[in-house]
Amino acid sequence: METQDDLDLGTAPDDLQQGQSDATLLKQAMINEKVAPELLEYDAPLVASIEAQLEHQEGVIADYRDNAEMELPRLMYSYELKRVRYLLQAYLRIRLKKIEKFVLHILENEQVLQKLSEKEQTYAQEYFMLYGRHQKETILNQMPDGFKDIAKQSAGSVRGDMIPVPDLDKHVFCRVLADRGYVEMNNAGTETAEFSKDDLYVARYDPIQALLKEGWVHLI
């Protein structure tokens, strides 16, 4: 008989996350995405694993539907299914909001664009086309010549001064997952902090950006 852990079969390959369930990893991925000022890399393996487990669990619940003796387990699996599906939808919704906010920045930066899934890339391109058309029809076409570029304030401005970009100087809270030693907290290298396991820090996002990507810290 399947147990509630059927939704939690997968574990992360990173040593710092070994043994954690997919549902736990998804929850943290959602928190990281929500707190980080930039769009993080889409976690395709985790999402695929979660979707496969959800599909499997739906089958288990269907098999229990006509078995009175399995009513309690069926309800438990149903509640867990709804919880994990909510986490997945929240993770994807947060990413879509960031894509809409930074769509010009994303489409003009190939490195950032590669952080999106194929479906997200298609969404970004279609959203930009609709957004650009709306801006031209309602605002830009009514502006004087020299002020009709969606990406800059005027003809004399530098291109991109009207493009929203992530604020990497934003302060965030993070938890250290393993002893990391001293970390440079500014570009000049004049300020360092010792990152030890279970320490909590509030710091600018920029110096911990790489640590988050490498799995040394979680955002909270």
Side-chain angles (χ1 to χ4, degrees), residues 37-39 102 105 112 164-169:
E38 65 170 342
L39 183 70
F102 300 122
H105 170 69
V112 179
V165 296
D167 180 10
L168 301 185
D169 286 327

Side-chain angles (χ1 to χ4, degrees), residues 121-150:
Q121 291 183 17
T122 300
Y123 178 82
Q125 293 165 356
E126 293 179 352
Y127 175 82
F128 174 69
M129 291 178 60
L130 293 173
Y131 173 78
R133 184 186 308 159
H134 174 73
Q135 290 294 312
K136 289 180 180 179
E137 292 178 353
T138 59
I139 300 175
L140 298 178
N141 287 344
Q142 317 303 322
M143 300 292 288
D145 292 341
F147 294 88
K148 295 185 177 183
D149 194 320
I150 196 174

Side-chain angles (χ1 to χ4, degrees), residues 37-55:
E38 65 170 342
L39 183 70
L40 303 178
E41 187 171 353
Y42 178 73
D43 197 334
L46 177 60
V47 172
S49 178
I50 286 288
E51 290 178 337
Q53 292 176 52
L54 289 174
E55 183 178 357

Side-chain angles (χ1 to χ4, degrees), residues 64-78:
Y64 287 169
R65 186 162 289 120
D66 298 327
N67 189 338
E69 294 181 356
M70 300 304 297
E71 181 63 15
L72 180 58
R74 187 186 70 81
L75 289 175
M76 293 174 61
Y77 301 154
S78 296

Side-chain angles (χ1 to χ4, degrees), residues 17-184:
Q17 297 179 323
Q18 188 173 4
Q20 296 187 42
S21 70
D22 279 357
T24 299
L25 295 175
L26 177 61
K27 180 179 180 181
Q28 187 58 56
M30 184 268 291
I31 295 173
N32 287 343
E33 194 68 65
K34 184 175 183 178
V35 176
E38 65 170 342
L39 183 70
L40 303 178
E41 187 171 353
Y42 178 73
D43 197 334
L46 177 60
V47 172
S49 178
I50 286 288
E51 290 178 337
Q53 292 176 52
L54 289 174
E55 183 178 357
H56 167 73
Q57 201 69 3
E58 287 173 347
V60 173
I61 293 171
D63 291 341
Y64 287 169
R65 186 162 289 120
D66 298 327
N67 189 338
E69 294 181 356
M70 300 304 297
E71 181 63 15
L72 180 58
R74 187 186 70 81
L75 289 175
M76 293 174 61
Y77 301 154
S78 296
Y79 291 144
E80 180 67 3
L81 185 72
K82 291 178 181 178
R83 182 181 74 88
V84 176
R85 182 177 285 118
Y86 170 81
L87 290 175
L88 178 59
Q89 292 173 345
Y91 171 71
L92 298 176
R93 278 198 302 268
I94 292 168
R95 291 183 59 82
L96 287 180
K97 287 183 179 179
K98 285 187 177 180
I99 290 171
E100 292 176 0
K101 182 177 182 179
F102 300 122
V103 64
L104 288 171
H105 170 69
I106 291 170
L107 294 178
E108 290 195 346
N109 189 320
E110 182 64 27
Q111 187 175 0
V112 179
L113 183 62
Q114 293 307 311
K115 294 181 178 181
L116 280 62
S117 68
E118 291 184 5
K119 290 182 178 179
E120 288 175 335
Q121 291 183 17
T122 300
Y123 178 82
Q125 293 165 356
E126 293 179 352
Y127 175 82
F128 174 69
M129 291 178 60
L130 293 173
Y131 173 78
R133 184 186 308 159
H134 174 73
Q135 290 294 312
K136 289 180 180 179
E137 292 178 353
T138 59
I139 300 175
L140 298 178
N141 287 344
Q142 317 303 322
M143 300 292 288
D145 292 341
F147 294 88
K148 295 185 177 183
D149 194 320
I150 196 174
K152 59 182 181 180
Q153 294 188 48
S154 67
S157 301
V158 177
R159 177 172 175 80
D161 63 352
M162 287 289 287
I163 298 178
V165 296
D167 180 10
L168 301 185
D169 286 327
K170 175 185 176 182
H171 282 71
V172 296
F173 287 89
C174 68
R175 175 182 287 108
V176 183
L177 303 181
D179 293 341
R180 179 62 174 77
Y182 286 93
V183 175
E184 293 184 359

